[in-house]
Structure formats: C-alpha cells, structure tokens
Amino acid sequence: PDQLAHILSVSHWRQIPGAVVAGVLASTWVKLLLVVFLLLMWKMSFMRKQLLATGERVGKVALDKFSYTLQALGLTFLMALPWPLLTLILGLALELDPGITGFSAQLADGLMTLTPTFFYIQFFSALCLPGGVATKHFRWPDSLPRALYVYFFRLKIALLPAILIIILAIDQSQTAQLDSVERLALVFALLVTALFFYRVSHLLLRLSITTQKRQHYFWLLLTVAAPLVLAVLAFVGFFYTAGMLGSGLIRTFWIAFGLVILHQTVVRWLLVTQRRMALQAARDRLQAAREEKEGAVDAEMEGSRGQVEEPEVDLVALSDETRKLISMMLVILGFVGFLLVWSEILPAFSVLDDVTLWHKTSVVAGEKALVPVSLGNLAIALLIAFLTYMAMKRLPPLLEILLLQRVDMTSGARYTAKTLYTYAIVGIGLVAFFNVIGMDWSRLQWLIAALGVGIGFGLQEIVANFISGLIILFERPIRVGDVVTVGTTEGA
C-alpha cells in the first residue's frame, strides 16, 4: 500500500506538467524534438495516403519496383515514431528540469526506459495496417495482419503501464526497502507476454503458416513457457534474476520480429528482380519471334546457324539457392543478435578460453612468444569453416542475379565471375581458418614446399589442367557453341 500510495499520489503528479514545461524551455534539443513531433502529427494523414499509394503498383510486373517497398517501410517508420517520440520528449524534459524532484527523476527514468519498447510495438503495429506493408508488399493473408494489429494493440495497453510501474517501484524501493509492487507488475508483464505469443503462435498454426508441428511446438515452448517460468521466479522472490532474463527475452523477441521483416524485405527484392528478368526474357523472345516472322533473319544469320545459343538462366534454381542463402544469413544475424543481448547474462562461454589445446608462436610487444590456442579458438575456426562452405555454396547464385540485373554479361562471363568468386571465398576462408588455429605462414610454407614436391612428381597434370582452366576462363578462347577438335575427337 505504501508503494501504491507513493506512485499514485496526487501531489507528485501535480508537479509533472510544470516540470515538463520547465524542461522544454530549458533545452533547445527538446524544443526541436517537439517540433518534429508536431510536424509528424500534422503529416500523418498525408503519410497514410502515400503508404496506400505505394501498394497500388505492387504485383504489376511491368510497373512494380522494389523502391516502393523501401518507401513504404520508411513511411511506416515515420508513422510509428510520433507517440514514442513524445514519450522520449517527456522523459528528457523531466530530466532537464532545473528544479527536478525525486518522483520526477523516477518518472523520467521510466519514460525513457519505456520508449524503445513503445516504438517497437508501434512499428510492428503500423506494418499490419490495412493496405500497409504486410498486406500489400509482403502479401500476408488478410486475416494475419488484421489479427496481429489487434494483438499488438492489446500488448501495448497492458505491457507499457506495467513496465512504467516496475521502473517507478524499483526506484522507490532503493530507499523504502519494499518489493511488492514491482514483483506483481513484473509477473503481470511476463504473463501478458506469454499470452501474446501464445495467441500469435496459435494464429500462425491456424493459418498454416507454420507447417512443421515440431518446429511450431519448439517456438511455442520458447515464447510461452519461458515467460511463465520467469513469472514464477519473480513471484517467489527472484526478482532481479527474472527481471534480467525477462528483459533479455523480450529484446530477443524484438530481434526475431526484426529478422522476420528483414527476411520478407529481401524476399520481396528477390521476387521483383526475378519477375523483371523473366519479363525481359519474354520480351526478348517475342522480339526475336517478331523479327523472324518479318523476315529479318538474313544470310549472315543463316551462315551462323551452326552456332548454339547460350543457355538461359534458370530463374527457379537461382531463387531457391538465394532463398537458402537468405535463411542462412538470417540465422547468422540472429545468432549475433542473441550474443549481443545475452553477452552480459551468459558469461559461461568464456570457459572455452580456459581449455588450452596447443600453443602457437606469435609476436607480442615486439617479441616472439608462445600464445595458447584454446577450445574457443577452435570453435571460432570451425565456425569460419562452416561460413566459408555456406558462402561457397550460396553466394554465387546471388552474384549471378546481381550480374544479370546490373551488367550485360554473357553466360560464359557470368560463369567465369562465379568460378573466380568461389576460388576467392575458399582462399580467404582457408587463410582465416589456419590463422585462428595458429597455422601462420612460417608453418604453412613447409607444407606448401612439400606439396610443391608432390606436384612435381605426380600431380603436375592436375595442376596443369587447373591452370589451363583459369586461362580459358580469363582469355575465353573457347566459348559455348564452338566446335572443338582434339586429335580425332570432335564435339560442341
């Protein structure tokens, strides 16, 4: 009761408007932010119309552009900004008030802590507006963004006040030695989070968005069971542990939502690019058929009838490979985000550095010394090897799409670029792998020397063929469609 009386005291809240005005008058930056807020509110209806206009040409192959999606995302960002910005302005104004009091400082801390979560919810809600990015650009089923908009609205109404109460109660407990209100508010916030993700997961399963039930149950366990467990911890008294883990869990969820938006954006770019290439290929075939029908094929074309046209690009194969690359990159980004969020909470990974496998010679402070190579270094080396392998398999199709879109290159030139790119990836990956595990050049040179002796005796034909292949790739004396005669063997 004492905490509630302190938080809800009329005398405390009566001081807030005057403190806000004093803080605004005392800071030029707060005044500029207030002008930005008023400008955004003034242009809100205009931005809404522009957002709807970006989706009118989406899906029309001849008119569609990826820039429309980028414009729609920018408008969504601006539409989500005003109210979180106002929350930040109020927090800064209270903090910069020359006559700041204890309750004003607590409220300023709570409002500024609340701002990022407020903006995330507003942004994802704006994505789900009717005629917005999720519906028009990402082509989600109409019922999905409509339901998500309602869920985000309910989450905002319940979660944001709970977070503010937690901050106010924590600041007061530092002097009053009370911990009842913040524990109950934290339990409520975690229960609200669990309910939100249960509804989202149930919605995705009902709409058949998640086809694999094992994967669905895994995410259901992570997003629902984890907040419930933390709520129990907070209720029985482990407030700090539940608060830290809950904060990290919510940030992890926001990263996951951000990766979903990034994935949909990249897929949208891929689809637009693929449609544009398919449309251009169809136009080229139509033009060729028209010229042939009109008799535009002359004697020169008749004489070159023996030449074979270069094969067309398999757009479906490129799309599949690039989608796999996108998924891999998102997994890597998610892992990096996970480490950034939980780096202070999960220090146990540092135990890998205490396990020494062997030593390597390195220059430390201008002198040679033995530096240990730990199990952590080996784990990093294996990660580099995995990333090198995946980049070797997945990046060349993406490079081919970029070359098709930006550069007018033949099939042979694209194959040359892809091959050299693969060699470069493998070379860089090998150098990084051996450098991490301690195999520097001073040690590798003996291996290379031994390999040179082996090449001189038994592998010279293999190396000669490899070098010949590089020469053919660079100089291109033989192209697709040429008739080649080697001895008594002839082929095209």
Side-chain angles (χ1 to χ4, degrees), residues 358-362 369-373 435-440 443:
W358 58 80
H359 292 79
K360 66 177 181 179
T361 303
S362 180
L370 290 178
V371 178
V373 177
N435 185 52
V436 172
I437 64 175
M439 297 291 291
D440 52 9
R443 302 185 180 208

Side-chain angles (χ1 to χ4, degrees), residues 1-3 169-170 172-182:
D2 294 336
Q3 282 184 306
I170 288 176
Q172 185 198 3
S173 296
Q174 294 177 358
T175 57
Q177 299 298 323
L178 299 173
D179 65 346
S180 300
V181 172
E182 62 263 34

Side-chain angles (χ1 to χ4, degrees), residues 124-265:
F124 293 125
S125 299
L127 286 173
C128 300
L129 287 171
V133 176
T135 304
K136 292 293 185 179
H137 296 262
F138 295 163
R139 298 293 182 177
W140 290 1
D142 291 337
S143 57
L144 177 60
R146 192 184 311 119
L148 287 177
Y149 182 84
V150 175
Y151 294 161
F152 276 116
F153 178 78
R154 294 175 180 175
L155 179 67
K156 174 174 59 179
I157 296 300
L159 183 63
L160 297 182
I163 295 177
L164 182 61
I165 291 175
I166 292 172
I167 301 300
L168 292 176
I170 288 176
D171 289 340
Q172 185 198 3
S173 296
Q174 294 177 358
T175 57
Q177 299 298 323
L178 299 173
D179 65 346
S180 300
V181 172
E182 62 263 34
R183 284 169 60 185
L184 294 176
L186 180 59
V187 170
F188 177 77
L190 292 170
L191 292 178
V192 167
T193 304
L195 179 61
F196 168 78
F197 283 104
Y198 173 77
R199 288 177 174 174
V200 171
S201 180
H202 181 69
L203 176 66
L204 296 179
L205 182 63
R206 181 167 57 86
L207 295 176
S208 300
I209 303 299
T210 54
T211 56
Q212 299 180 0
K213 286 196 173 182
R214 292 184 178 179
Q215 182 180 2
H216 170 76
Y217 289 131
F218 169 76
W219 288 109
L220 183 65
L221 178 66
L222 176 64
T223 57
V224 177
L228 292 178
V229 171
L230 295 180
V232 173
L233 285 177
F235 184 78
V236 299
F238 295 94
F239 175 80
Y240 181 79
T241 301
M244 292 294 293
L245 294 179
S247 176
L249 189 64
I250 291 177
R251 290 198 300 268
T252 304
F253 291 155
W254 296 140
I255 291 176
F257 275 116
L259 291 177
V260 170
I261 303 305
L262 178 61
H263 174 267
Q264 293 294 302
T265 304

Side-chain angles (χ1 to χ4, degrees), residues 158-476:
L159 183 63
L160 297 182
I163 295 177
L164 182 61
I165 291 175
I166 292 172
I167 301 300
L168 292 176
I170 288 176
D171 289 340
Q172 185 198 3
S173 296
Q174 294 177 358
T175 57
Q177 299 298 323
L178 299 173
D179 65 346
S180 300
V181 172
E182 62 263 34
R183 284 169 60 185
L184 294 176
L186 180 59
V187 170
F188 177 77
L190 292 170
L191 292 178
V192 167
T193 304
L195 179 61
F196 168 78
F197 283 104
Y198 173 77
R199 288 177 174 174
V200 171
S201 180
H202 181 69
L203 176 66
L204 296 179
L205 182 63
R206 181 167 57 86
L207 295 176
S208 300
I209 303 299
T210 54
T211 56
Q212 299 180 0
K213 286 196 173 182
R214 292 184 178 179
Q215 182 180 2
H216 170 76
Y217 289 131
F218 169 76
W219 288 109
L220 183 65
L221 178 66
L222 176 64
T223 57
V224 177
L228 292 178
V229 171
L230 295 180
V232 173
L233 285 177
F235 184 78
V236 299
F238 295 94
F239 175 80
Y240 181 79
T241 301
M244 292 294 293
L245 294 179
S247 176
L249 189 64
I250 291 177
R251 290 198 300 268
T252 304
F253 291 155
W254 296 140
I255 291 176
F257 275 116
L259 291 177
V260 170
I261 303 305
L262 178 61
H263 174 267
Q264 293 294 302
T265 304
V266 176
V267 168
R268 159 83 176 141
W269 166 77
L270 179 63
L271 289 176
V272 172
T273 304
Q274 183 179 3
R275 289 172 181 171
R276 186 179 302 158
M277 291 189 299
L279 178 62
Q280 185 61 40
R283 288 175 176 174
D284 293 341
R285 287 194 297 269
L286 181 61
Q287 181 67 22
R290 186 178 302 165
E291 291 178 356
E292 184 177 0
K293 184 177 180 180
E294 295 175 354
V297 181
D298 53 11
E300 181 180 356
M301 295 293 296
E302 189 71 22
S304 60
R305 184 176 296 175
Q307 296 182 354
V308 181
E309 294 183 357
E310 294 189 354
E312 295 182 359
V313 181
D314 188 354
L315 296 178
V316 177
L318 286 178
S319 177
D320 292 340
E321 292 296 327
T322 308
R323 286 175 185 271
K324 293 178 182 178
L325 171 66
I326 293 171
S327 300
M328 182 199 71
M329 295 301 295
L330 290 178
V331 170
I332 295 174
L333 289 177
F335 180 74
V336 173
F338 179 85
L339 291 181
L340 292 176
V341 170
W342 297 95
S343 58
E344 297 181 358
I345 304 175
L346 297 177
F349 287 110
S350 62
V351 73
L352 298 177
D353 296 331
D354 299 333
V355 181
T356 302
L357 301 178
W358 58 80
H359 292 79
K360 66 177 181 179
T361 303
S362 180
V363 178
V364 179
E367 298 181 358
K368 289 186 176 182
L370 290 178
V371 178
V373 177
S374 63
L375 188 59
N377 298 123
L378 181 60
I380 294 175
L382 294 177
L383 179 62
I384 291 175
F386 172 75
L387 295 179
T388 301
Y389 174 77
M390 296 303 296
M392 180 183 65
K393 298 290 288 185
R394 306 302 183 195
L395 285 180
L398 179 61
L399 175 66
E400 188 166 358
I401 284 183
L402 295 176
L403 292 176
L404 279 171
Q405 186 180 8
R406 300 296 181 185
V407 184
D408 186 13
M409 299 179 67
T410 62
S411 176
R414 290 194 301 269
Y415 178 78
T416 301
K418 285 172 54 181
T419 304
L420 297 178
Y421 186 70
T422 303
Y423 291 158
I425 291 176
V426 173
I428 295 174
L430 287 176
V431 170
F433 176 82
F434 286 119
N435 185 52
V436 172
I437 64 175
M439 297 291 291
D440 52 9
W441 174 250
S442 62
R443 302 185 180 208
L444 290 177
Q445 61 184 352
W446 299 106
L447 178 61
I448 295 176
L451 184 61
V453 174
I455 290 174
F457 282 102
L459 302 178
Q460 51 185 339
E461 292 187 4
I462 297 177
V463 176
N465 291 334
F466 177 75
I467 299 299
S468 300
L470 291 180
I471 294 174
I472 292 175
L473 288 176
F474 276 109
E475 298 185 359
R476 302 187 62 203

